[in-house]
Amino acid sequence: MRSRTANRSGIVIRRRVTPAGDILVTLLTPQGKLKAVARGGVRGPLSSRLNLFHHVGMQVYQGPQNDLASVQQAVLEGALPTLAQPERYAFAHLLAEFAEALYQEGEFSEQAFELFAGALRGVAHQPDPEWVALVMSYKLLALAGFIPQTARCARCAQDHPTHPDPLGGQLLCSSCAALPAYPDPSLDFLRNVARRTVRASMDAPLPAEQRPALWRALERFVTVQIGSVHSWRQLVPTGTALSA
C-alpha cells in the first residue's frame, strides 16, 4: 500500500493565513511545487517556520479525499533575514511570484529549484539586488521555456531588430517601431542573457539608467506570455520606474 506521508524540503514562495487560523503555503521543491495547509498553524510553532522565503523540511500527509497536503511537522533548514529589508523584499517577492507562475505541482525540476534558491541568496547578499533580480528573472523564464524573440522583429520578422516592443516586450525593427532603439549594452543583454552564465551577467551590470526599459520589457513579456504579475507594483517604491 502506498504511503500517504512524505518528507519534502523546499522554499516557501507563497503564504496565506485563513480566518480560521490555518496557514496555506506553497513551496518550490526539487520535485516541483507543493501546496499544503498547516491547520491551526498560526497558534503554534509552525507560524514562525512557515514564513515567506524560508527553506523548510516538512512531513506532509495527503489524504485520499484531500486536495491539499496537511503539514504534520516542519523544520527550518535555512533563512535569509536580509530579505525583509525594503530594498530587497520587493525583488525577492517578484522572483517568488515568477516561480509560482512558471512551475507546476509535481513537475520535477531540481535545476529550477537550485536557480531560484541561488536567486534569493543573491538578492539577500549582493550589493546590487536589483541587477540580481533582473538577471535571474530572465533566467527563470528561459529555464521554463519562455525566451523573448530577439533575432527577428516580433511583427514583420526582419533580421536584427533593435527597438523596444511596447506591447509584447520583445524587439521590433525600425520600420515597425515607434520608440528609439535600445543602447547597445541593453541589446546585448536582451539577446544573450538566456544563454550567458549567471556569473558572466553578474560581472557586467548595466548602469541604472538603462534598467527601467529592461524591466518594462520584462513586464510586458511576462504579462503576454504568462499573465499578470502583481509584484510589479511593489517595485515602484524602490526607484525602478516601471511605468516611466
Side-chain angles (χ1 to χ4, degrees):
M1 181 178 179
R2 184 178 178 181
S3 173
R4 298 193 178 110
T5 301
N7 295 319
R8 292 287 184 266
S9 177
I11 298 172
V12 179
I13 59 175
R14 187 175 185 183
R15 181 185 192 272
R16 184 170 69 87
V17 176
T18 71
D22 300 336
I23 303 175
L24 300 174
V25 292
T26 303
L27 276 74
L28 185 66
T29 80
Q31 294 77 35
K33 282 194 312 186
L34 171 68
K35 294 183 179 181
V37 56
R39 303 198 182 279
V42 296
R43 294 181 291 274
L46 294 180
S47 181
S48 60
R49 297 171 191 168
L50 298 178
N51 277 337
L52 199 60
F53 313 134
H54 278 182
H55 188 175
V56 296
M58 296 196 318
Q59 184 181 79
V60 296
Y61 174 80
Q62 184 80 54
Q65 306 298 324
N66 295 332
D67 294 330
L68 284 177
S70 179
V71 180
Q72 305 296 299
Q73 300 178 39
V75 177
L76 182 63
E77 297 183 350
L80 298 168
T82 57
L83 291 181
Q85 298 171 359
E87 67 272 20
R88 300 179 188 274
Y89 178 85
F91 295 118
H93 199 279
L94 177 66
L95 290 167
E97 193 171 354
F98 273 1
E100 184 177 15
L102 290 171
Y103 304 109
Q104 304 302 314
E105 292 183 62
E107 178 183 24
F108 183 89
S109 183
E110 187 170 353
Q111 188 178 1
F113 175 78
E114 293 298 333
L115 186 63
F116 176 72
L120 285 188
R121 289 193 297 269
V123 169
H125 299 305
Q126 293 299 318
D128 190 353
E130 181 192 15
W131 182 243
V132 174
L134 186 59
V135 170
M136 299 306 278
S137 294
Y138 275 99
K139 296 295 284 186
L140 285 167
L141 285 167
L143 184 61
F146 296 96
I147 302 176
Q149 169 65 264
T150 58
R152 296 180 181 274
C153 174
R155 294 184 186 171
C156 72
Q158 181 175 319
D159 291 339
H160 309 301
T162 59
H163 296 254
D165 172 12
L167 298 180
Q170 304 193 78
L171 290 179
L172 300 178
C173 67
S174 58
S175 299
C176 296
L179 298 175
Y182 282 111
D184 287 343
S186 294
L187 278 174
D188 177 71
F189 174 83
L190 289 169
R191 289 170 175 164
N192 296 299
V193 63
R195 62 189 180 204
R196 188 173 284 157
T197 66
V198 171
R199 180 178 293 276
S201 292
M202 289 296 109
D203 289 343
L206 293 181
E209 63 269 17
Q210 292 187 25
R211 297 180 189 180
L214 298 176
W215 280 115
R216 288 195 295 272
L218 179 63
E219 179 189 16
R220 296 315 307 154
F221 182 74
V222 169
T223 300
V224 170
Q225 301 294 328
I226 301 170
S228 178
V229 174
H230 301 294
S231 296
W232 298 118
R233 295 194 298 270
Q234 299 182 48
L235 294 180
V236 177
T238 71
T240 302
L242 294 180
S243 58

